[in-house]
């Protein structure tokens, strides 16, 4: 049922008001750490917003606080029963298979049929429900019968229309959520910087991003969508698959522009042959084949389906482009966080449009599992068409001279011991910032865009500076002099001036950028932001205990341990001191504890404060800039007296110190 106009207007106003209030409380809670209302009151506001947004989905926007951490957080996804099973497709790998498929179709229908050819998008399948033209439910395919309710996450995909161009009473469409090649590359680069495991291909990345409990993470992942099938509908007339695609496009749904109506199988084959590897490589997203569908929808019911797949469609899978080459050597790359990644050096070969001379071997376990040895002939392919990898070894090509890979005991760059963290596949160099390999990577990261954003300081210049002995760590950058730079190759007065200016400007980067720039393991841009907002200064973060860290949203024991390890390392502390001396900003704009309404005031608490534990009161006072002391003296500014105050109360009266109650304290805090 459509809502009446006055209801909708009222709902819109109330939603706006609720969002403003919740955002304000979020700010007080997360940023200032001074909640103005109890958790219960906050939850009530959020619940009201969520139920209004449920009742009026057209008013829900991706920027609503209900979509954020906390508000949008669910323990797990609800399950959704699909209106009809979301089937899979039968794969075919060559023209012969496809002719067999066409023969079966003609045998059952008794005539020549026309087909639609569509790209087979490599992502994950979803079912989207629109009621009265409004997007109300989105589910993953799941086991085909029952999927997971990922509506909130799907709403964050910009191309997904929250409302159709026409208020069709009921429409369920099927489509594919995918991650474009460039978004995938960027995400993996960020994960590498943060020392997090990489996604093997865009499909895994898309699936991992959509099945996040926090829609804000999904929103940051740059997902996209194509729809390709009408699953159920009322109030629509469609009699062909081609017509369905056109109709969905007309309703504003994203339909892939490549769709070809082929009058018979020969036309389909001509179409398939037109897909060269280059054409496929030029698409901004991955496709792993073409889908061939009978065009006439009436024939779909005639042909029917097996329990797994319809008989009216087939997935033609592109052959994976492979090549053979020889392993000429193993090299180890030292990452910013010290992870040693083995890479195979190959005899150069052409593969999917590029010359390949390296293949990632991921880690030692991978090499063992595939038994890859020096001198082996190997089959390689590009995983998701991007990163070349070794598919298999051809043992029949072995001469017996091949040598197994051995992880060195010492870092090939700095000679420090190589260690393996229990429970992880990766080996790491233990040299820390003393390892030039790690230093090179960590300085380049420090200067990069999302970090300190030092324009003009790329890998080539970092390596020049290191080689000239002008820098040993990131802090040395801020002590560079013009005369030092002028000694370097390719440095003139102008480029030296530019670099020094960029360095000076970077001193005022926000705390979260500095935190990210320091390259603490597992602290990516997002975690850095959470930490900066909560702690307000590097000093406070360095002093934080595990409990305070893990109490924060999205911070688990792994991140907490990594933060504590980083600040416990004397070499890291020395670098931070040097940065501080150089004038690099170490605090957020308004650091809790350093400014605030109670700045410079000393408090003593006595008795039980109504509605406030002793610990809470102390934290609130400290975060508003005040100090809490345990004994009353002439220097005490306020004694906060609760029920049953003790001797401190008596002492305060003797000394004439101002005595206040909990309500008065709250008033001071809110000033
Ligand atoms: S039609 C019953 N069309 O490929 C019809 N599927 O390997 C089912 N896919 O699970 C699907 N692009 O996730 C169809 N243009 C397209 C597709 C497509 C990608 C996916 C879909 C399906 C899988 C089967």
């Amino acid at each position: 049922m459509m809502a009446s106009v006055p209801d909708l207007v009222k709902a819109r106003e109330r939603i706006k008001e609720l969002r403003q209030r919740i955002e304000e409380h979020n700010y007080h809670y997360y940023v200032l750490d001074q909640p103005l209302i109890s958790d219960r009151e906050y939850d009530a506001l959020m619940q009201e917003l969520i139920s209004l947004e449920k009742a009026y989905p057209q008013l829900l926007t991706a920027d609503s606080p209900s979509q954020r951490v906390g508000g949008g957080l669910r323990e797990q996804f609800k399950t959704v029963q699909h209106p009809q099973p979301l089937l899979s497709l039968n794969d075919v790998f060559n023209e012969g298979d496809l002719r067999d498929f066409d023969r079966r179709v003609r045998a059952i229908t008794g005539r020549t049929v026309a087909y639609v050819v569509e790209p087979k998008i490599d992502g994950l399948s979803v079912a989207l429900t629109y009621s009265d033209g409004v997007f109300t439910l989105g589910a993953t395919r799941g086991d085909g019968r029952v999927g997971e309710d990922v509506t909130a996450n799907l709403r964050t995909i910009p191309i997904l229309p929250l409302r159709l161009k026409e208020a069709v009473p009921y429409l369920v469409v099927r489509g594919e959520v995918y991650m474009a090649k460039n978004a995938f590359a960027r995400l993996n680069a960020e994960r590498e910087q943060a020392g997090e495991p990489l996604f093997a291909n865009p499909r895994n990345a898309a699936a991992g991003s959509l099945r996040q409990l926090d829609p804000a993470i999904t929103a940051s992942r740059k997902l996209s969508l194509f729809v390709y099938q009408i699953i159920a509908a009322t109030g629509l007339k469609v009699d062909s698959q081609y017509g369905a695609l056109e109709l969905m496009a007309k309703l504003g749904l994203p339909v892939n522009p490549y769709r070809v109506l082929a009058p018979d199988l020969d036309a389909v084959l001509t179409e398939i042959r037109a897909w060269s590897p280059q054409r496929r490589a030029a698409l901004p997203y991955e496709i792993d084949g073409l889908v061939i569908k009978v065009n006439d929808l009436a024939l779909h019911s005639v042909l029917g389906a097996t329990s797994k797949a319809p008989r009216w469609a087939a997935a033609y899978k592109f052959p994976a482009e492979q090549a053979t080459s020889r392993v000429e050597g193993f090299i180890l790359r030292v990452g910013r966080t010290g992870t040693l990644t083995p890479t195979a050096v190959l005899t150069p070969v052409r593969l999917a449009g590029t010359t390949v001379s390296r293949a990632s071997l991921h880690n030692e376990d991978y090499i063992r599992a595939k038994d890859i040895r020096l001198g082996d002939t190997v089959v390689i392919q590009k995983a998701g068409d991007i990163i070349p990898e070794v598919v298999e070894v051809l043992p029949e090509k072995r001469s017996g001279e091949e040598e197994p890979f051995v992880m060195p005991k010492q870092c090939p760059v700095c000679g420090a011991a190589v260690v393996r963290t229990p429970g992880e596949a990766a080996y790491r160099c233990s040299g820390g910032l003393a390892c030039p390999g790690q230093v090179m990577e960590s300085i380049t990261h420090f200067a990069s865009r999302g970090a300190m954003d030092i324009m003009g300081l790329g890998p080539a210049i970092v390596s020049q500076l290191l080689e000239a002995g002008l820098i040993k760590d990131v802090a040395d950058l801020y002590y560079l002099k013009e005369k030092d730079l002028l000694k370097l190759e390719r440095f003139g007065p102008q480029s030296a001036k530019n670099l020094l200016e960029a360095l000076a400007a970077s001193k005022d980067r926000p705390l979260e950028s500095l935190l990210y720039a320091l390259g603490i393991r597992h602290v990516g841009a997002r975690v850095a932001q959470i930490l900066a907002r909560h702690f307000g200064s590097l000093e406070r973060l360095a002093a934080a205990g595990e409990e305070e860290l893990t109490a924060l949203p999205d911070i688990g024991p792994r991140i907490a341990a990594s933060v504590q390890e980083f600040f416990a390392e004397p070499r890291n502390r020395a670098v931070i001191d040097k940065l501080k001396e150089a004038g690099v900003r170490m605090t957020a704009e308004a650091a809790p504890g350093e400014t605030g309404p109670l700045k410079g005031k000393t408090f003593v608490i006595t008795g039980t404060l109504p509605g406030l534990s002793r610990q809470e009161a102390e934290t609130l006072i400290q975060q508003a800039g005040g100090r809490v002391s345990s004994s009353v003296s002439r220097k005490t500014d306020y004694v906060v007296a609760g029920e049953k105050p003790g001797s401190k109360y008596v002492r305060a009266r003797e000394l004439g110190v101002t005595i206040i109650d909990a309500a008065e304290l709250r008033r001071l805090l809110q000033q």
Side-chain angles (χ1 to χ4, degrees):
M1 264 255 298
M2 288 287 284
S4 70
V5 175
D7 283 351
L8 192 67
V9 171
K10 262 195 240 147
R12 180 176 286 130
E13 259 166 32
R14 180 66 183 151
I15 284 177
K16 191 171 158 210
E17 186 192 346
L18 285 167
R19 284 177 184 166
Q20 268 170 4
R21 285 179 58 184
I22 291 171
E23 287 293 22
E24 200 184 314
H25 289 308
N26 280 349
Y27 177 74
H28 279 270
Y29 186 89
Y30 289 111
V31 184
L32 302 180
D33 243 325
Q34 293 172 15
L36 300 178
I37 55 174
S38 70
D39 286 0
R40 202 171 322 140
E41 287 166 297
Y42 178 91
D43 286 348
L45 292 177
M46 186 61 94
Q47 279 316 316
E48 188 186 344
L49 176 63
I50 290 171
S51 46
L52 271 174
E53 287 175 339
K54 248 204 197 116
Y56 301 93
Q58 66 271 47
L59 298 182
L60 181 71
T61 54
D63 64 357
S64 170
S66 67
Q67 306 295 295
R68 281 178 194 275
V69 193
L73 206 66
R74 259 134 300 167
E75 281 310 300
Q76 58 187 42
F77 299 109
K78 279 187 293 176
T79 52
V80 177
Q81 177 109 28
H82 299 304
Q84 54 163 279
L86 299 188
L87 297 177
S88 186
L89 292 171
N90 285 322
D91 291 337
V92 296
F93 296 95
N94 50 51
E95 293 195 8
D97 290 349
L98 213 47
R99 286 192 195 283
D100 288 344
F101 161 74
D102 175 58
R103 212 167 292 128
R104 280 193 299 273
V105 168
R106 282 186 289 113
I108 300 174
T109 59
R111 57 178 130 143
T112 304
V113 295
Y115 296 100
V116 179
V117 185
E118 302 170 17
K120 185 169 182 311
I121 311 296
D122 200 12
L124 83 154
S125 205
V126 290
L128 313 173
T129 304
Y130 286 84
S131 309
D132 292 326
V134 174
F135 175 56
T136 49
L137 179 67
T140 60
R141 174 167 177 265
D143 65 4
R145 258 181 351 97
V146 177
E148 287 169 321
D149 181 343
V150 285
T151 313
N153 293 351
L154 285 166
R155 282 207 175 98
T156 70
I157 300 179
I159 203 167
L160 183 148
L162 296 182
R163 178 187 278 282
L164 299 176
K165 287 190 178 154
E166 280 169 42
V168 181
Y170 177 65
L171 177 67
V172 185
V173 298
R174 182 164 169 188
E176 203 82 354
V177 169
Y178 69 92
M179 188 178 282
K181 290 175 185 170
N182 60 4
F184 171 70
R186 217 174 305 132
L187 175 64
N188 260 356
E190 276 170 27
R191 291 175 76 86
E192 190 169 16
Q193 294 276 18
E196 288 168 11
L198 304 189
F199 284 114
N201 52 50
R203 177 165 33 88
N204 288 359
S209 304
L210 190 65
R211 298 185 67 254
Q212 287 287 338
L213 289 178
D214 176 3
I217 299 183
T218 310
S220 72
R221 294 282 175 87
K222 305 275 174 275
L223 294 175
S224 200
L225 168 80
F226 282 123
V227 299
Y228 45 69
Q229 205 74 28
I230 294 181
I231 301 293
T234 51
L236 285 180
K237 260 190 62 180
V238 238
D239 51 19
S240 69
Q241 169 63 10
Y242 198 82
L245 294 175
E246 302 273 275
L247 178 68
M248 288 189 288
K250 208 177 98 207
L251 290 173
L253 288 158
V255 177
N256 196 286
Y258 171 74
R259 41 182 187 267
V260 170
L261 185 53
D264 56 20
L265 188 80
D266 282 334
V268 169
L269 294 177
T270 309
E271 204 37 58
I272 288 178
R273 288 180 203 129
W275 275 92
S276 65
Q278 289 76 10
R279 179 170 174 194
R280 184 180 157 200
L283 286 176
Y285 44 84
E286 292 295 340
I287 68 172
D288 58 347
L290 300 171
V291 183
I292 323 299
K293 297 174 184 170
V294 169
N295 187 40
D296 187 344
L297 294 186
L299 294 184
H300 287 196
S301 358
V302 175
L303 286 156
T306 65
S307 62
K308 178 191 166 251
R311 288 194 195 87
W312 45 261
Y316 172 83
K317 299 290 275 278
F318 290 133
E321 273 203 273
Q322 296 187 334
T324 53
S325 183
R326 195 171 159 274
V327 180
E328 292 183 351
F330 294 109
I331 50 172
L332 283 162
R333 206 175 71 88
V334 186
R336 179 170 57 78
T337 55
T339 307
L340 296 173
T341 311
T343 300
V345 180
L346 307 168
T347 313
V349 279
R350 291 289 294 175
L351 176 62
T354 58
T355 300
V356 173
S357 56
R358 297 260 194 280
S360 171
L361 298 171
H362 308 292
N363 52 55
E364 195 187 28
D365 293 348
Y366 183 89
I367 302 174
R368 293 267 165 277
K370 303 224 167 200
D371 190 19
I372 303 166
R373 304 182 194 177
L374 181 68
D376 262 338
T377 303
V378 290
V379 177
I380 55 162
Q381 76 180 19
K382 289 192 182 171
D385 259 359
I386 293 168
I387 314 152
E389 64 172 22
V390 174
V391 183
E392 57 171 349
V393 170
L394 301 177
E396 65 275 18
K397 298 267 166 104
R398 279 190 177 152
S399 68
E401 306 273 291
E402 292 74 17
E403 292 166 32
F405 169 79
V406 192
M407 183 61 83
K409 302 248 175 313
Q410 272 140 5
C411 168
V413 180
C414 73
V418 167
V419 292
R420 186 177 199 173
T421 317
E424 285 183 22
Y427 282 80
R428 291 200 294 139
C429 155
S430 61
L433 289 181
C435 172
Q438 287 187 50
V439 170
M440 166 74 197
E441 298 275 341
S442 65
I443 297 179
T444 314
H445 166 73
F446 183 84
S448 68
R449 261 270 215 78
M452 297 304 267
D453 196 15
I454 305 166
M455 269 255 286
L457 191 59
I461 293 176
V462 171
S463 110
Q464 255 188 313
L465 292 169
L466 282 168
E467 270 166 31
L470 289 171
I471 56 169
K472 287 202 172 55
D473 56 46
V474 294
D476 291 337
L477 289 169
Y478 293 100
Y479 296 86
L480 287 170
K481 300 270 173 311
E482 190 183 356
K483 64 174 185 357
D484 300 330
L485 294 177
L486 289 176
K487 283 186 222 142
L488 299 176
E489 223 178 283
R490 284 179 313 195
F491 257 98
Q494 189 57 45
S495 46
K497 184 169 164 268
N498 290 349
L499 181 56
L500 292 173
E501 275 176 10
L503 278 161
S506 76
K507 289 184 188 173
D508 205 34
R509 290 281 285 164
L511 177 63
E512 60 198 59
S513 307
L514 173 66
L515 250 179
Y516 172 60
L518 287 174
I520 305 167
R521 233 154 87 84
H522 308 307
V523 178
R526 206 180 121 74
V527 169
Q529 191 182 49
I530 295 171
L531 295 174
R533 290 200 179 159
H534 179 81
F535 290 99
S537 79
L538 211 58
E539 214 168 309
R540 282 205 65 226
L541 172 62
E546 185 186 349
E547 220 168 281
E548 188 175 6
L549 285 162
T550 50
L552 292 172
D554 289 347
I555 311 287
R558 200 177 58 131
I559 299 177
S562 165
V563 169
Q564 291 188 306
E565 251 170 53
F566 180 88
F567 287 107
E569 167 62 51
R571 276 180 296 210
N572 292 336
R573 282 211 307 269
V575 169
I576 291 169
D577 288 344
K578 263 201 290 180
L579 286 169
K580 195 170 178 180
E581 239 176 75
V584 173
R585 184 141 80 97
M586 304 258 152
T587 53
E589 309 257 336
E594 292 185 8
T595 58
L598 306 185
K599 187 174 178 217
K601 301 283 183 222
T602 303
F603 289 74
V604 173
I605 303 170
T606 177
T608 320
L609 305 180
L612 207 61
S613 77
R614 179 69 63 101
Q615 186 58 49
E616 279 166 351
E618 284 185 12
T619 310
L620 286 173
I621 291 169
Q622 282 159 356
Q623 283 166 356
R627 273 194 43 217
V628 180
S629 166
S630 55
S631 60
V632 183
S633 73
R634 279 183 210 285
K635 287 196 198 131
T636 310
D637 293 291
Y638 298 99
V639 166
V640 189
E643 285 157 24
K644 302 208 191 99
S647 59
K648 291 174 197 163
Y649 178 80
V650 181
R651 179 98 181 111
R653 294 205 53 167
E654 280 169 12
L655 294 175
V657 174
T658 313
I659 299 173
I660 60 172
D661 62 5
E664 181 67 15
L665 173 64
R666 282 184 197 278
R667 210 186 51 72
L668 288 175
L669 285 168
Q670 284 170 23
Q671 262 175 15

